[in-house]
């Protein structure tokens, strides 16, 4: 094994020396763990991990390489990665780069060769905390001061959201969907395209009048990083658009929709990250195995005083996994039905969004016809 040349330093003073397998620069971020057995490229390129240092609990990462077609964003914004072992000899006919090459090109620090099981237990027991990846000879006092002096970024959605609107079109288009980009994953767009939706991806702070000018059939609120309370622009947008069009939210979008209806959110001890979380659909009684990535959750007691109803619950800790307002054609889920790779149990939620847009169109047409008859 190579000698240690970098180390991970936790804000509680613990140190984990290892080998650099990414960009050689200092990084400070919140350290979290992900329990997925596959999908490291999607994790690497998921904007929801912006500025976070992700510990992969699966021991071998990079064994099938990196493939150009499987990125979830053009420019990864993850803070750093921590691995037990980083494979430098991938076996996959589709791969174009190794994990290390990709991390270096994207300027993302990473460390391998540490006991990720021990580190995961520490995060699980003590909760998410801040950490730094620094050269191995950095004095502990200097590393802790670096962590303390690095401010927490509250503008992470602004960092990852598109700056101008862009389009993703599909043949045989049936619907136009405006997607509010809080850090949207490409596979969400693919999932909508596959169901006959032209998707207009717009910045998180675009106003309601501009969005309605696109004459959309539905609104999608995307996933994204950070605290939902730090994105009042999107919460206010939901307030303005609710009842006018069907709205579907995923992850951060779910939290923001809940806030817009008067719900409350809170930070979990160590979050949910992985492709193995059981969720119960309260309407059908079925259990879905889901892919998740979030630090915050909706307080269940806060939903009882709103116009929303809880539709899904996490079977591990009872957290709210889905809400809806049937009359206003609004619904959202905390997990990722577009997971790629990952469980496909929840893909039906995109079909529900299609049905909501169909029903809304019929209702709108019926109202128009009724008005015309009345006027006549």
């Amino acid at each position: 094994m190579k000698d240690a040349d970098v180390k991970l330093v936790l804000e509680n003073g613990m140190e984990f020396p290892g080998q650099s397998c990414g960009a050689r620069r200092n990084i400070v971020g919140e350290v979290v763990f992900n329990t997925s057995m596959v999908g490291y490229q999607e994790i690497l390129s998921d904007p929801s991990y912006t500025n976070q240092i992700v510990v992969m609990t699966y021991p071998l990462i990079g064994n099938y390489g990196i493939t150009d077609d499987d990125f979830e964003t053009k420019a990864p914004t993850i803070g750093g990665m921590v691995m037990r072992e980083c494979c430098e000899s991938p076996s996959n006919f589709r791969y174009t780069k190794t994990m290390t090459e990709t991390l270096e090109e994207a300027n993302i620090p990473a460390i391998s060769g540490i006991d990720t099981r021990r580190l995961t237990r520490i995060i699980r027991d003590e909760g998410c905390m801040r950490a730094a990846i620094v050269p191995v000879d950095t004095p502990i006092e200097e590393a802790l001061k670096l962590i303390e002096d690095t401010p927490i970024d509250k503008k992470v959605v602004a960092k990852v959201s598109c700056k101008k609107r862009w389009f993703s079109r599909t043949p045989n288009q049936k619907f136009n969907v405006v997607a509010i980009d809080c850090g949207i994953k490409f596979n969400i767009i693919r999932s909508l395209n596959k169901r006959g939706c032209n998707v207009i991806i717009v910045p998180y702070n675009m106003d309601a009048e501009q969005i309605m000018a696109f004459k959309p059939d539905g609104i999608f609120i995307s996933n994204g990083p950070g605290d939902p309370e730090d994105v009042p622009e999107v919460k206010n947008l939901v307030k303005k658009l609710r009842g006018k069009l069907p709205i579907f939210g995923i992850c951060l979008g779910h939290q923001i929709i809940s806030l817009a209806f008067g719900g409350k959110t809170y930070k979990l001890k160590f979050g949910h990250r992985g492709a193995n979380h059981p969720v119960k659909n309260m309407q059908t009684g079925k259990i879905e195995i889901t892919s998740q990535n979030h630090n915050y959750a909706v307080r269940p007691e806060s939903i009882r005083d709103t116009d929303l109803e809880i539709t899904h619950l996490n079977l591990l800790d009872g957290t709210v996994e889905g809400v809806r307002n049937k009359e206003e054609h609004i619904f959202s889920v905390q997990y990722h039905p577009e997971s790629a790779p990952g469980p496909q149990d929840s893909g039906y939620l995109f079909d529900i969004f299609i049905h909501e847009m169909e029903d809304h169109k019929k209702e709108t047409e019926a109202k128009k016809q009724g008005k015309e008859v009345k006027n006549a």
Side-chain angles (χ1 to χ4, degrees), residues 154-159 161 180-182 202-209 211 219 221 225 227-241 252 256-257 259-260:
K154 295 284 188 178
K155 302 292 185 181
V156 280
V157 168
K159 178 178 179 179
S161 180
I180 313 302
D181 182 8
C182 299
V202 303
Y204 78 101
N205 56 355
M206 182 173 281
D207 62 47
E209 291 73 22
I211 288 171
I219 304 294
I221 314 294
D227 186 341
E229 293 279 11
D230 292 337
V231 203
E233 299 91 342
V234 186
K235 181 178 75 171
N236 293 332
L237 179 65
V238 173
K239 288 181 177 180
K240 291 179 181 179
L241 294 179
L252 182 68
I256 290 173
I257 286 173
L259 289 175

Side-chain angles (χ1 to χ4, degrees), residues 8 10 12-17 33 55 57 84 114-126:
L8 177 76
L10 305 182
N12 65 4
M14 299 189 71
E15 299 177 279
F16 292 83
F33 65 83
V55 181
T57 62
R84 178 68 185 93
I114 72 170
D115 188 344
T116 50
R117 293 177 300 177
R118 179 184 177 217
L119 178 56
T120 299
R121 285 196 296 268
I122 291 168
I123 299 170
R124 184 192 62 195
D125 294 341
E126 299 187 26

Side-chain angles (χ1 to χ4, degrees), residues 269-280:
K269 183 178 180 181
F270 49 80
H272 295 163
R273 295 174 185 86
N276 46 14
H277 288 257
V279 168
K280 183 174 183 179

Side-chain angles (χ1 to χ4, degrees), residues 187-188 190-197 220 248 250 279 281 286-291 312 331 333 335-355:
N187 205 47
I188 290 173
R190 297 185 200 108
S191 298
L192 290 169
N193 285 159
K194 187 170 68 174
R195 290 167 173 81
C197 298
F220 176 81
F248 177 27
I250 287 177
V279 168
N281 185 323
K286 292 184 177 180
I287 310 302
E288 303 167 28
I289 302 303
T290 67
S291 177
H312 297 75
F331 71 107
V333 290
Y335 50 95
H336 286 263
E338 85 294 341
S339 57
Q344 305 298 304
D345 302 26
S346 309
Y348 71 90
L349 290 161
F350 289 101
D351 298 324
I352 289 178
F353 187 40
I354 299 299
H355 294 321

